[in-house]
Amino acid sequence: MPIPATQYIWFNGKLVHWEKATVHVLSHALHYGSSVFEGLRAYETPRGVAIFRLQDHTRRLFDSAKIYRINMPVTPEQVNDACRQVIAANGLTRGAYIRPVVFKGYGEIGVCPKNEPPTDVAVAAWEWGRYLGHDSESAGVDVCISSWNRVAPNTLPALAKAAGNYLSSQLIGGEAKRLGFAEGIGLSIDGNLSEGSGENLFLVKDGVLLTPALAHSVLGGLTRDTVMRLARERGIEVRECAIPRELLYIADEAFFTGTAVELTPINSVDRLTVGTGKPGPITESLQTAFYGLFNGDTPDKWGWLDYVDMAAALRVAASG
Ligand SMILES: Cc1ncc(COP(=O)(O)O)c(C=O)c1O
């Protein structure tokens, strides 16, 4: 989908015009994949626009950089501020998708050069709709198991949200789309379920909510964590475990979670209907609880909503 341009991008400490946020073609990340990033959503709420789980996303960004030993030239608070600034400076009061990216920039060539190239940091934001199609979250999607496995443990670390991991995602998601499915699911190297190309996977069997454990090459999704907490609060048993592929075929319900897809029901897998082939009752109750965080129906007792003080964010931008 085309990116709906906004006015400003935060780039290495200050807001620059969208079209000026450019990099050199010899940047290290472009050649060797040395980039880590995040994807967040800001929502319009009754108390104004709020960024969902901002601190947790920033922590994961720093964790990803730590795994790859990428020097961080900024503090977590600077990244948080940058996220608030791109919302305020671009007037994104109706909510937005926010993309922080940290990458090895221009200055050295070679996979592991003697001197580290400088680290560049950028944060952009724009209005973004449904990732898997406009009615995907209400109607559900048809998906397949990919012929490509997810990255194996101790090859590319799945817990790091690194650009290189998305080569695996492109193989999985691209194959699925060429075959006419909305999304593909990768298996882990041992043949158990792992995750979608850009989302975590859940299924419901006999009233229990199951999701692949972190050891099965999944990203530790913040929506995954949110949904597990909301489910446990509602008395639903949740298990993080190894899940054989065929359990998905005979599940009562299944759904994806992720910042982009939010909570998207799965209607069929490999052309086999899951449950009734429509979003199931547990999926729908968790959707209601999840979206309730943003319309005020679900109390935010965890402090997950970071309300953007537009005037304060603009003051910080002006002083930076
Ligand atoms: C591979 C992959 N798995 C899972 C997720 C879901 O993570 P989150 O809920 O933190 O967005 C994402 C999205 O970032 C992803 O790219």
Side-chain angles (χ1 to χ4, degrees):
M1 61 201 80
I3 308 176
T6 51
Q7 247 190 310
Y8 297 105
I9 291 179
W10 188 96
F11 195 26
N12 290 333
K14 54 179 190 294
L15 292 172
V16 300
H17 283 285
W18 179 276
E19 63 282 1
K20 295 257 166 65
T22 55
V23 297
H24 198 282
V25 292
L26 291 177
S27 294
H28 193 273
L30 205 49
H31 298 255
Y32 307 116
S34 45
S35 157
V36 294
F37 67 100
E38 273 305 317
L40 306 82
R41 272 193 197 265
Y43 289 88
E44 185 178 18
T45 80
R47 285 179 51 197
V49 65
I51 303 175
F52 186 54
R53 301 196 68 165
L54 173 60
Q55 313 276 342
D56 296 320
H57 278 282
T58 298
R59 186 173 319 129
R60 189 170 68 185
L61 183 69
F62 277 73
D63 288 348
S64 300
K66 181 177 185 185
I67 291 168
Y68 279 102
R69 297 167 195 265
I70 296 175
N71 294 327
M72 272 296 209
V74 289
T75 64
E77 204 36 55
Q78 282 173 301
V79 173
N80 292 341
D81 269 341
C83 291
R84 297 181 190 115
Q85 284 177 41
V86 289
I87 293 292
N90 293 306
L92 294 165
T93 49
R94 297 193 306 156
Y97 182 80
I98 308 172
R99 167 56 56 82
V101 59
V102 172
F103 56 98
K104 292 193 185 180
Y106 170 75
E108 296 281 332
I109 201 78
V111 177
C112 301
K114 196 155 150 247
N115 300 310
E116 274 295 303
T119 306
D120 288 322
V121 183
V123 183
W126 57 88
E127 275 191 20
W128 212 24
R130 303 277 180 245
Y131 183 67
L132 294 178
H134 76 280
D135 64 347
S136 54
E137 290 178 34
S138 52
V141 291
D142 299 308
V143 306
C144 67
I145 304 286
S146 178
S147 68
W148 292 97
N149 282 343
R150 286 293 290 161
V151 294
N154 213 23
T155 58
L156 292 175
L159 287 183
K161 191 168 169 63
N165 288 6
Y166 289 84
L167 289 172
S168 155
S169 295
Q170 286 174 52
L171 292 172
I172 292 170
E175 180 185 59
K177 283 179 183 133
R178 278 194 304 280
L179 294 173
F181 296 98
E183 183 56 296
I185 294 169
L187 301 179
S188 60
I189 199 69
D190 58 6
N192 287 308
L193 294 172
S194 176
E195 63 177 350
S197 75
E199 50 284 300
N200 292 116
L201 176 67
F202 283 85
L203 62 89
V204 177
K205 185 72 180 162
D206 297 330
V208 179
L209 190 59
L210 303 167
T211 192
L214 293 185
H216 294 273
S217 299
V218 303
L219 182 70
L222 291 164
T223 323
R224 174 183 182 272
D225 178 68
T226 302
V227 163
M228 289 195 294
R229 286 178 196 234
L230 291 171
R232 287 192 172 113
E233 246 208 335
R234 279 154 185 75
I236 300 168
E237 187 185 339
V238 182
R239 286 190 212 143
E240 295 175 75
C241 53
I243 308 177
R245 167 182 186 157
E246 60 276 21
L247 199 58
L248 193 50
Y249 298 145
I250 57 171
D252 303 321
E253 302 178 34
F255 59 87
F256 284 132
T257 63
T259 299
V261 297
E262 299 174 310
L263 206 157
T264 296
I266 295 172
N267 294 338
S268 73
V269 181
D270 294 343
R271 312 251 182 250
L272 288 171
T273 301
V274 175
T276 62
K278 295 205 174 82
I282 292 188
T283 306
E284 285 184 336
S285 75
L286 290 171
Q287 277 185 320
T288 305
F290 177 75
Y291 297 117
L293 286 164
F294 315 119
N295 64 25
D297 287 349
T298 304
D300 175 25
K301 57 166 123 163
W302 301 271
W304 282 335
L305 294 174
D306 192 285
Y307 293 95
V308 181
D309 179 336
M310 303 294 243
L314 290 175
R315 273 199 303 279
V316 175
S319 68

